[in-house]
Amino acid sequence: MSRNHTKDNCFNKSLLAEHKQKLIQAIKRIKHEIDECWDAERETYAQALSVELQNTFDDLEREIRSEYQNLHRFLDLEEEMDVERLTKDKEKRVKLLREREKKISEQGKDLERAIETLNSKLKEEDSPKLLNCQVNFVPPSAVNAEIQAGQFIGPLQYKIWKHMKSSLYPIATFTFDTDTAHPLLRLSPCSTSVWFEVREGTPPEPEPNNPRRFHYYYCLLGQEGFTHGRHYWEVEVGLKTAWRVGVAREDVHRGEMDSCTTANGLWTLALKGGTIQACTEPCPTLVKAAVRPTRIGVFLDCEREEVSFYNAITMTSLFSFSMGTILQPIFPFFNPCDTDEGKNTAPLTLFSPSL
């Protein structure tokens, strides 16, 4: 056997051993993956049957039923009051009509008695003395028997809607905090609209005596912060091509951040590149929406430590964040973004729902 042939055999054996070793390693890796797979399956199965999961859904169901029971009680009370008002009006009108009927009946009897008296006097010789006797029918005051439906029904649903205001969570009313606004942002005189304004020349330097002002991102906060309770507000985004709204911790960094997400105390929804994203850590989460919302509703529930976003026109849920323990005030957060070469000049505007 030649030396070359021996060499080839040694090389082939070495290559085969190497391949086998790789196969053994691949098998070990796959077995490890299988173990992880079974562990994940067992964990998921346990979660599906967990008491905690069941209790969470039970609590939510009780809360939903409680909210609807409150609304039912409100509607039942409104119905009782309206029916009682209708019943009282009916009783009043019937009473007046009965009283008028009685007066007319009494006058009718008086007239009949007068006729009887006159007939009897006709037979007497001195009957001419009664010719001056006058008995007249004087109709009692008329009773308005016409029922105006508008007094009792009318815009009933609208009336209930307005009365229901007392049963709703209070709608947060606030303005933008001008002291936190980036220098390139412009606000309306009433501080309820904000937009990015292109300016010529060197960008303004941060104010050293105002650490609350954002000086890197084009954003600002609302005037009021919250640590407890439930608060809802709406932001008009219109047809803007980019925006970002949500909430931020009071200590959120005012300059450049390594991550503008929940990791740095921001819980926000953003429109970017034509899609809506929840700014989650470590990567944004795509939010699917049947239509692009023109107004965003933000619901901050400090008790549950959650913030949720809605299409405020249809009240369709868009996304919810769990915030963790709230240890400091949470402020409304807004970013109208830059002008996008003139396509994104419209403002963000605080919208005040009214009933």
Side-chain angles (χ1 to χ4, degrees):
M1 184 180 291
S2 68
R3 183 180 296 178
N4 287 338
H5 185 67
T6 303
K7 261 186 188 180
D8 288 343
N9 284 340
C10 290
F11 176 76
N12 289 336
K13 286 180 180 179
S14 174
L15 185 61
L16 181 61
E18 184 180 344
H19 284 175
K20 284 184 176 181
Q21 188 61 36
K22 288 182 178 179
L23 288 172
I24 291 170
Q25 294 300 322
I27 291 170
K28 286 182 178 179
R29 181 183 60 78
I30 293 174
K31 283 183 176 179
H32 177 70
E33 295 286 339
I34 289 174
D35 290 339
E36 286 190 351
C37 178
W38 295 146
D39 288 343
E41 182 185 11
R42 283 191 291 271
E43 181 182 353
T44 304
Y45 179 78
Q47 286 177 337
L49 298 179
S50 71
V51 175
E52 181 181 359
L53 180 69
Q54 186 63 46
N55 287 342
T56 299
F57 277 102
D58 287 346
D59 289 344
L60 287 173
E61 181 179 345
R62 278 192 292 272
E63 186 167 346
I64 288 172
R65 291 190 180 279
S66 175
E67 293 290 342
Y68 275 99
Q69 284 172 2
N70 289 337
L71 291 174
H72 289 318
R73 278 193 291 271
F74 169 81
L75 290 173
D76 288 342
L77 181 60
E78 288 286 323
E79 179 184 357
E80 288 176 10
M81 290 191 297
D82 278 346
V83 171
E84 182 180 3
R85 188 164 61 89
L86 180 66
T87 301
K88 286 183 176 180
D89 190 272
K90 171 188 171 183
E91 292 173 349
K92 178 181 176 182
R93 288 180 189 244
V94 169
K95 181 181 178 182
L96 291 173
L97 288 168
R98 293 297 185 194
E99 290 175 351
R100 188 171 191 269
E101 178 189 15
K102 183 180 178 181
K103 290 178 181 178
I104 292 172
S105 176
E106 289 174 352
Q107 288 196 56
K109 290 176 182 178
D110 289 343
L111 290 169
E112 287 176 352
R113 283 194 292 269
I115 289 175
E116 290 177 1
T117 301
L118 291 173
N119 282 332
S120 64
K121 292 298 182 181
L122 281 174
K123 299 174 182 179
E124 300 177 3
E125 295 180 359
D126 58 349
S127 59
K129 294 180 181 179
L130 296 175
L131 292 176
N132 294 326
C133 177
Q134 297 292 327
V135 180
N136 299 320
F137 169 57
V138 181
S141 299
V143 175
N144 183 11
E146 184 179 359
I147 310 300
Q148 300 292 339
Q151 295 179 6
F152 303 100
I153 301 178
L156 184 62
Q157 295 177 350
Y158 183 69
K159 182 192 75 171
I160 297 299
W161 182 37
K162 295 190 76 171
H163 287 181
M164 195 177 287
K165 184 177 181 180
S166 61
S167 299
L168 301 177
Y169 294 126
I171 297 172
T173 54
F174 56 83
T175 57
F176 295 125
D177 186 349
T178 56
D179 287 341
T180 64
H182 186 282
L184 292 181
L185 293 182
R186 281 290 171 266
L187 282 79
S188 63
C190 56
S191 294
T192 57
S193 290
V194 62
W195 60 94
F196 178 84
E197 183 175 271
V198 178
R199 282 195 245 168
E200 301 294 335
T202 307
E205 293 292 328
E207 301 171 50
N209 60 342
N210 183 8
R212 299 179 61 240
R213 188 178 300 283
F214 289 93
H215 55 82
Y216 186 84
Y217 299 102
Y218 307 131
C219 50
L220 75 168
L221 301 178
Q223 263 193 339
E224 186 176 358
F226 307 102
T227 56
H228 61 274
R230 291 169 169 173
H231 310 275
Y232 177 76
W233 61 91
E234 295 182 357
V235 188
E236 211 54 86
V237 297
L239 300 178
K240 288 176 66 64
T241 60
W243 48 259
R244 189 173 182 185
V245 299
V247 297
R249 285 199 315 254
E250 185 178 33
D251 67 350
V252 66
H253 192 54
R254 298 326 202 237
E256 185 177 5
M257 291 178 268
D258 56 356
S259 171
C260 296
T261 64
T262 55
N264 282 323
L266 284 161
W267 296 270
T268 57
L269 210 64
L271 175 66
K272 185 177 181 181
T275 61
I276 299 175
Q277 302 174 357
C279 301
T280 49
E281 178 71 23
C283 300
T285 301
L286 180 65
V287 175
K288 294 182 180 179
V291 295
R292 183 188 294 183
T294 57
R295 190 190 309 154
I296 300 295
V298 184
F299 181 59
L300 173 63
D301 188 342
C302 296
E303 314 311 321
R304 290 188 175 275
E305 297 170 337
E306 293 179 352
V307 60
S308 302
F309 297 85
Y310 302 85
N311 179 335
I313 304 299
T314 62
M315 291 311 295
T316 305
S317 177
L318 296 174
F319 194 82
S320 292
F321 288 94
S322 293
M323 304 173 66
T325 305
I326 295 176
L327 299 176
Q328 56 183 287
I330 302 297
F331 283 80
F333 174 91
F334 312 89
N335 185 342
C337 300
D338 61 30
T339 60
D340 189 17
E341 298 179 345
K343 293 179 286 187
N344 193 42
T345 57
L348 285 181
T349 301
L350 295 174
F351 180 85
S352 297
S354 60
L355 296 179

